[in-house]
Amino acid sequence: MPTRPNKSRKSYHHGDLRNALLKAARDVLEERGPSFLGLREISRRVGVSAPSAYHHFPSRDAIALGLAEHGAREMAECLTAGPRDETGALAPYGEAYVAFVRANPALYRLMFGEGFPAVSQYSHAVRELRKRSYEIMKSNLENRLSDAELPIAGLFLWALVHGLGLLLIDGQITTGEDDRDIVHRVLQLAGTGLDHGRT
Amino acid sequence: MPTRPNKSRKSYHHGDLRNALLKAARDVLEERGPSFLGLREISRRVGVSAPSAYHHFPSRDAIALGLAEHGAREMAECLTAGPRDETGALAPYGEAYVAFVRANPALYRLMFGEGFPAVSQYSHAVRELRKRSYEIMKSNLENRLSDAELPIAGLFLWALVHGLGLLLIDGQITTGEDDRDIVHRVLQLAGTGLDHGRT
DNA sequence: GCTTAATCTTTACAGCGTTAGGATTGTGCC
DNA sequence: GGCACAATCCTAACGCTGTAAAGATTAAGC
């Protein structure tokens, strides 16, 4: 059967199509991954014809970009809100970072380049998030290290949580242990290391 | 003009089409990235019609998979060959790891999931590479740490080089410094940290 | 209430991965 | 050498995609 617009819609105009498209795109993203983010698939879910999306986004990639923009703000907010768990973790922001990645795997991959290289370049919010991530990792260490060591140490911590998060959501860490324990122990190792690893 | 097969080929049969396709695919991969890995684009470069690829690969994804297989063996070889630079680096295999990632950015992204999720699952060589990467990172530390600490410390080092490599090839490290210096200093920080960070 | 602009529609086009079936060439047996 | 066969390549075509063009429907402003 040929796909046709949703007849069950009350009015000819949708009213809030832009956000409806973004929401459907978010669903597709988490359900099937970045490579399945198709314009036609998205508009089908909303119950609207494909070209109607062009009144709200200039291209399919722009939808992915809008998604990444929204996700970037979400993640930045989540990180700067600060982790409420203060059980003596040495890198609490690091744990919050990995937790967000694990909670939003496809979104994170989207923001960090997978499938849509344009996202990394053209999204202001995503660029801000990346800068902020680095800053946050530095801030996580600044009461423990001198200003001279901070740039490299911050990069060290950022790369660590970035890599750890990606390995986790790619299912490539196959020890039998609980993932949260693993994250904690790795960050603890990094933390104690940083405390003694002055140059 | 409609695209037509390469008339300048000597014989009707290509002779080594399978490898020619893989080589062209590798070129496309490095030139334009994983998302541009199209079957038609690849066969166009070889000067052959698109469906002829189906005599050597069951699908387009299978070409990407073959590419990843080959790349995985290449990387494993490069890593186990061992770094010849012995200038006292604390994590020589770590530096070799990041160096390979920087030299083959798109290939590395392909092997670790971007665009072709099937690659991570179905490629034997890629699975082997990932296991091996972890083992190599552990071996990099085994004369410095006890057996009990090795699993977490190996994961720590692997996640670090994985994340650092990805951040570098994504162009998200924008300090003015030389990238190689940065890698060295980050790994040095990790190394000295590990030396003192016994639990 | 009419005009205008915004929103959604159908229709159409080129490019994609893939299938089906015909043309051409290398291979092994007589 | 010649012939049957299998392997390899081709063109044609299908359904899918993102996108452009142009017509239908509705909301907004005077």
Side-chain angles (χ1 to χ4, degrees):
Chain A
M1 97 187 168
T3 310
R4 61 179 58 252
N6 190 355
K7 294 288 184 187
S8 70
R9 206 190 323 137
K10 34 241 146 196
S11 63
Y12 187 89
H13 289 353
H14 183 284
D16 192 25
L17 186 52
R18 197 194 136 91
N19 285 104
L21 289 170
L22 282 177
K23 177 162 167 32
R26 177 75 178 256
D27 292 344
V28 175
L29 184 67
E30 291 297 343
E31 281 173 29
R32 320 244 288 152
S35 58
F36 288 88
L37 253 188
L39 188 147
R40 279 184 138 103
E41 168 70 18
I42 294 170
S43 27
R44 218 168 330 187
R45 294 204 179 200
V46 180
V48 101
S49 80
S52 52
Y54 283 84
H55 285 271
H56 304 275
F57 298 95
S59 72
R60 183 198 65 145
D61 290 15
I63 300 185
L65 202 142
L67 211 54
E69 289 264 327
H70 188 266
R73 275 187 286 269
E74 200 177 309
M75 181 167 179
E77 205 174 321
C78 175
L79 289 182
T80 51
R84 51 253 164 288
D85 181 289
E86 298 290 352
T87 60
L90 290 166
Y93 283 109
E95 301 214 26
Y97 190 100
V98 179
F100 187 92
V101 175
R102 299 218 308 135
N104 307 274
L107 183 65
Y108 189 76
R109 268 194 280 258
L110 178 68
M111 293 189 297
F112 280 85
E114 168 163 343
F116 300 86
V119 165
S120 306
Q121 298 175 309
Y122 298 131
S123 165
H124 178 66
V126 171
R127 275 204 311 271
E128 281 301 313
L129 168 67
R130 292 199 310 261
K131 271 190 250 168
R132 190 100 74 106
S133 297
Y134 174 53
E135 297 297 331
I136 286 174
M137 292 306 128
K138 279 203 299 188
S139 81
N140 203 153
L141 304 170
E142 65 192 1
N143 51 350
R144 218 182 340 237
L145 297 176
S146 75
D147 286 1
E149 311 171 289
L150 269 184
I152 284 291
L155 180 56
F156 161 82
L157 185 52
W158 186 28
L160 182 62
V161 293
H162 183 58
L164 194 54
L166 287 176
L167 288 180
L168 279 168
I169 65 181
D170 282 339
Q172 289 169 14
I173 295 179
T174 54
T175 66
E177 306 176 54
D178 181 63
D179 287 344
R180 199 143 22 190
D181 283 353
I182 291 181
V183 174
H184 185 75
R185 288 171 62 193
V186 167
L187 287 177
Q188 184 172 299
L189 182 60
T192 60
L194 284 172
D195 281 339
H196 298 86
R198 311 292 180 87
T199 50
Chain B
M1 93 188 171
T3 310
R4 60 179 59 253
N6 190 354
K7 295 289 184 186
S8 70
R9 207 189 322 139
K10 31 250 154 193
S11 65
Y12 186 88
H13 289 353
H14 182 284
D16 192 25
L17 185 53
R18 198 193 134 90
N19 287 104
L21 288 170
L22 282 176
K23 178 163 164 33
R26 177 77 177 256
D27 292 344
V28 175
L29 184 67
E30 292 297 343
E31 282 173 29
R32 321 243 287 153
S35 58
F36 287 88
L37 253 189
L39 188 148
R40 280 183 137 103
E41 168 71 18
I42 294 170
S43 28
R44 218 168 326 182
R45 293 204 181 201
V46 180
V48 102
S49 81
S52 51
Y54 283 82
H55 286 271
H56 305 276
F57 297 94
S59 73
R60 183 197 66 144
D61 290 15
I63 301 185
L65 202 141
L67 211 55
E69 288 265 326
H70 189 266
R73 275 188 286 269
E74 200 176 309
M75 183 167 178
E77 206 173 320
C78 175
L79 289 182
T80 52
R84 52 250 163 291
D85 181 289
E86 298 290 352
T87 59
L90 291 165
Y93 282 109
E95 301 214 24
Y97 191 100
V98 179
F100 187 93
V101 175
R102 300 219 306 134
N104 307 274
L107 183 65
Y108 189 75
R109 270 193 279 257
L110 179 68
M111 293 188 298
F112 280 85
E114 167 163 343
F116 299 86
V119 164
S120 306
Q121 299 174 308
Y122 297 131
S123 165
H124 179 65
V126 170
R127 275 202 313 270
E128 280 301 312
L129 169 67
R130 292 198 312 259
K131 271 191 250 168
R132 190 99 75 104
S133 297
Y134 174 54
E135 295 298 330
I136 286 174
M137 292 305 128
K138 279 203 299 188
S139 81
N140 202 154
L141 303 170
E142 65 192 1
N143 51 351
R144 217 181 342 236
L145 297 177
S146 75
D147 285 0
E149 311 171 288
L150 269 184
I152 284 291
L155 180 55
F156 161 81
L157 185 52
W158 185 28
L160 182 63
V161 293
H162 183 59
L164 194 54
L166 287 176
L167 288 180
L168 279 167
I169 66 181
D170 282 338
Q172 289 169 14
I173 296 179
T174 53
T175 66
E177 306 177 54
D178 181 63
D179 287 345
R180 198 141 25 189
D181 283 354
I182 291 180
V183 174
H184 185 75
R185 289 172 61 193
V186 168
L187 287 176
Q188 185 171 299
L189 183 59
T192 59
L194 284 173
D195 281 340
H196 298 86
R198 311 292 181 88
T199 51

